[in-house]
Amino acid sequence: MSYFGNVDKIKYEGKESTNPLAFKHYNPDQVIFGKTMREHLRFAVAYWHSYTYGGSDPFGANTLVRGYDKFTGMDLAKARVEANFELLNILGADYFCFHDRDIAPEGATLQETNKNLDEIVALIKSNMKTSGKKLLWNTANMFTNPRFVHGAATTNNAEVYAYAAAQVKKALEHGKELGSENYVFWGGREGYESLLNTDMGLELDNLARFLHMANDYAKEIGFDAQFLIEPKPKEPTKHQYDFDAATTLSFLQKYDLAKTFKLNLEANHATLAGHTFEHELRVARINGALGSIDANQGDCLLGWDTDEFPTDLYSTVLAMYEILQNENGIGRGGVNFDAKVRRTSVDPIDVVYSHIAGMDSFARGLVVASKLLEDRALENFIDDRYDSFKTGIGADIVAGKANFKTLEAYALQNNPIVTKSGRVEVLRTVLNQYILNA
Ligand code: XUL
Ligand code: CO
């Protein structure tokens, strides 16, 4: 059975191609800085957007009719597994990601739910074996079911906390079973609506306890995935605790979790927090915490998480510019398309087109960023801009040899202060030239 219209594996045809079912920029075997594009980018398909999402919005029902929609329950879950491996093969993407509740339906009890999951995980495992496809990360959905209305690890209800722990325990076991390279915690409903009813201190202490227990259990069962936290400032709760990279890092540091966690950063979450994607990547990178990315984009005219496929080349170039400068690039992480087709893109083939658009945009971002770095197009300017810290009083500051008295003595005799231009417009023109010509 084909769910995407018997499409052949997408090939690289180069930038002159007009074939919508071809890559114009993603050439998996092209080597850049000693690694192939495939190794740099480690593309992943997100189960929830590609197979589970049906196109509904707050005003309308599902619009995306798929071949597997004729099934229900476990039959539907099995058909989606088939669709997943078909799409990965078409795209030549090596990885996929899922929430536990994306892959199997909940039963009447936790026992039944876990049984459903075990069966689908076994099916996924056998498909991974025959196809060579891999799991980039798995996670637990602790936000859809009404039991999580007050949160999961930050709930006011210890019964829910215990249920959430049981759910993550199972997800860690499945991560191990499938050889997942990472495990993600996105704080679905870990936040609050109103301080009038919230004990913020207890909720955050409990969240840290939860993450320590997860670490301990992963160690106990020998699951050596990289743990990742995915920050998001709002939606579904008004104020999410893992607001952005900086907030999340300070939480991890306070609770002695910084050594075992890195960050999974998402472009649209960055913009919701009032940051650019590259800002979030930079904050993580300079703290040794850039683990993986959720590739998508928002709409600057809308204030919510639209999860569009990434096509903005400025953003993909600057994202890849950070990733290329990260120690070991994206490392064990990858470029996961946490992105969905618009509800007006109703055909199954749109899922293929949209991934091609995202993969090409990131491949182009990779090429342009590598040229920028190779030519030191920005670095030479940045080096020069901080020149004052290389000699004299600046060198003393950097070496920790200055104090307020020596700095005052310097300031008193240094008159006038000379200011250099930041040249932002010139640098933006340079960036444009690279995007157009690299
Ligand atoms: C929600 C979001 C999630 C996480 C995984 O905005 O990004 O899908 O990526 O739970
Ligand atoms: Co995400």
Side-chain angles (χ1 to χ4, degrees), residues 48 137 230 264 266 269 294 296 336 338:
W48 54 104
W137 52 259
E230 183 176 325
N264 179 41
E266 175 164 330
H269 295 180
D294 270 9
N296 62 14
N336 169 46
D338 192 350

Side-chain angles (χ1 to χ4, degrees), residues 51 68-81 103:
Y51 321 114
Y68 38 74
D69 290 335
K70 62 175 181 274
F71 301 112
T72 55
M74 287 296 278
D75 290 336
L76 174 58
K78 286 174 193 166
R80 283 176 172 151
V81 172
I103 61 167

Side-chain angles (χ1 to χ4, degrees), residues 219-420:
K219 216 172 184 182
E220 191 180 323
I221 62 173
F223 178 35
D224 69 352
Q226 173 65 53
F227 274 18
L228 301 169
I229 292 197
E230 183 176 325
K232 184 177 184 180
K234 53 191 165 193
E235 202 199 349
T237 66
K238 185 164 71 179
H239 189 108
Q240 301 271 131
Y241 286 132
D242 300 324
F243 188 92
D244 63 359
T247 314
T248 307
L249 286 174
S250 91
F251 168 85
L252 291 172
Q253 281 152 11
K254 173 177 173 187
Y255 289 103
D256 194 24
L257 289 158
K259 276 189 223 73
T260 40
F261 278 82
K262 288 188 174 180
L263 302 181
N264 179 41
L265 294 162
E266 175 164 330
N268 205 165
H269 295 180
T271 47
L272 288 177
H275 302 308
T276 58
F277 191 25
E278 58 271 19
H279 166 92
E280 290 292 85
L281 296 171
R282 179 74 60 96
V283 169
R285 175 164 78 77
I286 64 171
N287 284 288
L290 172 46
S292 196
I293 66 167
D294 270 9
N296 62 14
Q297 66 188 29
D299 184 320
C300 66
L301 302 180
L302 302 172
W304 64 90
D305 196 11
T306 60
D307 284 339
E308 297 176 22
F309 274 85
T311 51
D312 176 347
L313 293 181
Y314 285 93
S315 176
T316 62
V317 167
L318 294 175
M320 289 314 300
Y321 179 76
E322 295 304 323
I323 289 168
L324 283 177
Q325 293 176 87
N326 196 38
E327 202 190 341
N328 201 20
I330 202 68
R332 296 179 78 167
V335 175
N336 169 46
F337 290 109
D338 192 350
K340 58 191 177 211
V341 294
R342 301 303 85 196
R343 74 191 293 271
T344 48
S345 298
V346 295
D347 297 336
I349 193 73
D350 287 309
V351 178
V352 179
Y353 291 145
S354 59
H355 280 89
I356 293 174
M359 290 163 86
D360 264 346
S361 299
F362 264 86
R364 183 74 189 141
L366 168 61
V367 170
V368 175
S370 71
K371 289 274 178 1
L372 280 167
L373 285 164
E374 197 171 85
D375 297 351
R376 296 184 54 81
L378 304 174
E379 279 63 34
N380 285 340
F381 180 82
I382 294 171
D383 254 13
D384 185 55
R385 184 159 182 252
Y386 292 89
D387 242 5
S388 68
F389 285 96
K390 289 186 189 126
T391 56
I393 191 73
D396 285 352
I397 294 170
V398 171
K401 287 190 201 147
N403 59 47
F404 268 18
K405 282 186 275 180
T406 61
L407 290 169
E408 181 196 45
Y410 179 85
L412 286 171
Q413 56 76 43
N414 182 48
N415 193 25
I417 286 175
V418 180
T419 299
K420 285 198 213 176

Side-chain angles (χ1 to χ4, degrees), residues 3-4 47 51 78-96 120-121 123-135 178:
Y3 292 110
F4 298 97
Y47 220 92
Y51 321 114
K78 286 174 193 166
R80 283 176 172 151
V81 172
E82 214 182 304
N84 177 47
F85 287 93
E86 183 192 347
L87 183 63
L88 293 174
N89 275 327
I90 290 171
L91 297 172
D94 293 320
Y95 294 93
F96 62 107
I120 300 298
V121 164
L123 183 63
I124 289 178
K125 191 176 179 181
S126 78
N127 275 269
M128 286 172 71
K129 213 166 171 192
T130 47
S131 65
K133 303 296 178 188
K134 291 172 273 188
L135 184 58
L178 298 176

